[in-house]
Amino acid sequence: MRSPPVAQLPVFLAVAERRSFTKGARALGMSPSAASQAVARLEHELGTPLFVRTTRSVRLTDAGARLLHEAGPAIRSVCAALSGLKAADDEPSGVLRLNVPRIACRVCLPRLLEVYAQRCPKVRCDIVVDDRRVDIVKNGFDAGIRSAEAIHKDMVRVRLTGPLRFAVVASERYLASAGRPREPRDLTAHACLGWRSLADEGAYRWEFSDRGREVEVAVAGPVVSNDTQLLMACAEQGMGLAFVVEEEAAGEIASGRLQTVLDDYALQVPGLFLYFPRAARAAPNLRAFVACAREVLGAKGPRRRADAGP
């Protein structure tokens, strides 16, 4: 005997429990003729009748009664599980795993997470903060956040921030002692607090824009770190200049604890994007997260990277 068409089992159950093709079909949202055809196919595959039909009534055969008794609970369990999955589309729950860089934690993520937690209380956000480029699919993440150039072309991306501008910052005490650099090449004579990615062996070369031309400067100084907060704290202590995204230091700049230099050479980059595989966009937890990003951060998307502008 061939394997029975399992898709027909819920139809058999609905009809058997109600002893009526009409009532069973109505419960499943299908026509009585479609229900009759589904049961007829099941009977054909099993090689035995499951119902005795007359114009006035429907009753189970011995084989039908046995199938209802032995398989009925399992069929109900499967149907309940499938209904639960369908219900999950309307109410996100479980875990949403994200891989994000440190900068996202300071310029956009906390406000987004606050709203998401309020709207999706049954979801726990499991967030790994890592500045290295990570294969989110291979490492089991639902989505990631990165700058536009770090996202593979086959990913869907959703904008989280506007363009970001880099800034060189220092304390008034340091500038009073060492002077203010007037152009990027002056940095070679200054104490510079360098940033280093965990993925790279060398320190990051500071990048600038000089009349539309990108300029890189190799800097040196007393501290190199992969944590921008530490570098800004060292800058506040007068240890040297730090190179940061301007929004990261907005509070320190506004309070006067840090000052910006080389503003005319500041480089602007497209910003941060949420990204994920196209196949994941229908997942309820991620779909709700994208909706929150759109509302809270004014995000546009989702779009394929190839179709999205900065």
Side-chain angles (χ1 to χ4, degrees), residues 213-230:
R213 181 173 59 92
E214 288 193 15
V215 177
E216 293 185 355
V217 179
V219 299
V223 175
V224 177
S225 175
N226 70 320
D227 187 78
T228 308
Q229 290 293 107
L230 173 62

Side-chain angles (χ1 to χ4, degrees), residues 107 159-165 247 268-273 297-298 310:
V107 303
R159 178 180 286 283
L160 297 182
T161 73
L164 299 174
R165 196 172 91 131
E247 284 195 33
Q268 185 171 277
V269 294
L272 296 177
F273 293 79
L297 303 175

Side-chain angles (χ1 to χ4, degrees), residues 85-309:
L85 289 178
K86 187 175 185 302
D89 288 342
D90 301 320
E91 186 177 10
S93 61
V95 179
L96 179 69
R97 299 198 70 223
L98 302 174
N99 184 279
V100 308
R102 284 181 172 84
I103 186 174
C105 301
R106 294 189 280 269
V107 303
C108 64
L109 199 53
R111 187 156 54 104
L112 176 54
L113 290 174
E114 178 187 10
V115 175
Y116 186 69
Q118 292 171 353
R119 296 188 179 178
C120 303
K122 294 185 178 180
V123 178
R124 185 184 81 246
C125 290
D126 185 350
I127 301 169
V128 173
V129 180
D130 192 344
D131 289 320
R132 293 172 293 185
R133 296 187 183 186
V134 173
D135 184 333
I136 58 172
V137 176
K138 180 180 179 181
N139 288 277
F141 293 99
D142 298 298
I145 296 176
R146 285 293 180 271
S147 57
E149 67 276 7
I151 301 173
H152 291 298
K153 292 182 179 180
D154 60 348
M155 292 287 176
V156 176
R157 71 178 189 180
V158 177
R159 178 180 286 283
L160 297 182
T161 73
L164 299 174
R165 196 172 91 131
F166 284 98
V168 178
V169 296
S171 69
E172 183 178 0
R173 178 168 48 140
Y174 175 83
L175 296 175
S177 172
R180 302 176 71 92
R182 301 299 177 184
E183 54 187 48
R185 64 182 180 181
D186 293 344
L187 294 171
T188 58
H190 281 266
C192 296
L193 307 167
W195 185 81
R196 183 197 303 276
S197 168
L198 289 175
D200 301 323
E201 294 183 1
Y204 177 75
R205 296 167 67 93
W206 293 8
E207 297 175 282
F208 301 91
S209 178
D210 185 0
R211 293 182 288 274
R213 181 173 59 92
E214 288 193 15
V215 177
E216 293 185 355
V217 179
V219 299
V223 175
V224 177
S225 175
N226 70 320
D227 187 78
T228 308
Q229 290 293 107
L230 173 62
L231 298 177
M232 287 194 296
C234 290
E236 285 189 54
Q237 295 300 314
M239 295 178 62
L241 299 155
F243 187 72
V244 299
V245 171
E246 194 169 27
E247 284 195 33
E248 292 185 87
E252 290 81 357
I253 294 170
S255 68
R257 299 196 304 275
L258 291 174
Q259 299 180 24
T260 61
V261 297
L262 300 175
D263 292 344
D264 292 341
Y265 298 91
L267 181 69
Q268 185 171 277
V269 294
L272 296 177
F273 293 79
L274 178 75
Y275 70 100
F276 47 88
R278 179 164 292 275
R281 66 190 303 174
N285 295 351
L286 183 57
R287 189 174 67 240
F289 193 78
V290 169
C292 282
R294 248 192 230 117
E295 181 176 335
V296 175
L297 303 175
K300 297 178 181 179
R303 299 177 181 176
R304 291 184 67 92
R305 182 182 176 191
D307 300 330

